[in-house]
Amino acid sequence: MSLRHLLREIGEMYEYQYLVGGVLSICVSMHILIKRPRTLALKSLSAFGFVVSLWEFSDYIAERAPDAITAASYFRIVILTSHLGFPLYLLTVLAIRHEIDKKIILLISTPAIVQTAAIFYHYFDSYEFFLAEFGWSYRVVGFQLPLVISGVIFVSYLVAIFAVLLSLTKKATLPMLKRKYAILLISFACFQAIGTTLTNALLAFDVID
């Protein structure tokens, strides 16, 4: 077996993670709903799971779309769900230890509304879609205002989540609780901030294929 063939098989297997992750996210969310969650943390966690599953399924389909227009349509869902996932996750981690009033919810949701509006207003004028070896991909070819606005808000959510998890970890008095917050913090930093956000940014700026 040649190295190229081996890399191709690994790449094809890697893509199935989106399907597996999407199914797992739906299962977790459905499990929470069956239990009839009463707390805001569980309700927002359930919504976060559904958003993540939609993101994973759309990403999988976008790469295998028959043409660039179809790929762009699913990629719009990918972008929208990836941007909505952060405010839901931020709401979840905040609601774990604190009572959330309407002002906090408004503060968290308002930037997400602005993001959504930006995504539907010439957002994709900044992107170019092309057919790569393993399916449709994209690159940033300009920096229109909607892309800049949504990007700044996206990074702000990321920093806010990291700060909240770090604060919860430091303030936790019980060793077990501190360890759980630390796991959330490390997993978020490794898999979301680095594994997903940084990788997609490098892909979008054509640094990696």
Side-chain angles (χ1 to χ4, degrees):
M1 180 184 296
S2 66
L3 178 60
R4 184 179 181 84
H5 182 69
L6 178 62
L7 291 175
R8 178 183 292 274
E9 287 192 352
I10 292 175
E12 290 176 353
M13 291 176 61
Y14 175 79
E15 296 302 327
Y16 285 109
Q17 71 166 328
Y18 294 111
L19 290 179
V20 175
V23 171
L24 290 176
S25 296
I26 287 181
C27 290
V28 172
S29 295
M30 290 301 297
H31 176 74
I32 295 174
L33 286 180
I34 291 174
K35 297 291 185 178
R36 295 185 178 181
R38 297 181 180 180
T39 65
L40 178 60
L42 287 176
K43 291 177 181 178
S44 58
L45 180 61
S46 178
F48 173 73
F50 282 118
V51 168
V52 169
S53 65
L54 183 57
W55 171 78
E56 304 231 47
F57 290 142
S58 299
D59 200 306
Y60 180 83
I61 296 173
E63 292 186 358
R64 289 159 176 76
D67 52 65
I69 296 177
T70 305
S73 298
Y74 280 101
F75 183 65
R76 186 186 296 273
I77 301 175
V78 171
I79 290 295
L80 182 61
T81 50
S82 66
H83 284 68
L84 291 178
F86 271 11
L88 285 171
Y89 190 77
L90 178 59
L91 182 61
T92 300
V93 295
L94 281 174
I96 292 175
R97 290 296 298 264
H98 305 285
E99 287 291 334
I100 305 298
D101 57 25
K102 293 182 179 180
K103 291 182 180 180
I104 298 297
I105 295 177
L106 184 63
L107 183 63
I108 294 174
S109 60
T110 299
I113 296 173
V114 175
Q115 272 186 317
T116 302
I119 290 172
F120 284 96
Y121 182 76
H122 298 293
Y123 180 89
F124 289 96
D125 291 351
S126 301
Y127 284 91
E128 177 188 29
F129 293 89
F130 61 95
L131 190 60
E133 183 177 1
F134 296 107
W136 288 99
S137 188
Y138 58 91
R139 62 169 67 96
V140 174
V141 294
F143 291 93
Q144 302 292 334
L145 186 59
L147 176 64
V148 175
I149 292 175
S150 61
V152 170
I153 295 175
F154 184 86
V155 174
S156 298
Y157 275 128
L158 191 151
V159 173
I161 293 170
F162 186 85
V164 170
L165 287 174
L166 181 61
S167 175
L168 289 173
T169 303
K170 288 183 175 181
K171 292 180 179 179
T173 55
L174 296 175
M176 182 179 294
L177 189 59
K178 182 181 289 289
R179 186 162 51 250
K180 289 181 178 180
Y181 284 141
I183 292 173
L184 286 175
L185 175 62
I186 294 172
S187 62
F188 178 80
C190 292
F191 296 106
Q192 183 60 58
I194 298 175
T196 301
T197 303
L198 181 60
T199 301
N200 287 338
L202 293 174
L203 179 67
F205 291 111
D206 211 18
V207 177
I208 59 175
D209 296 326

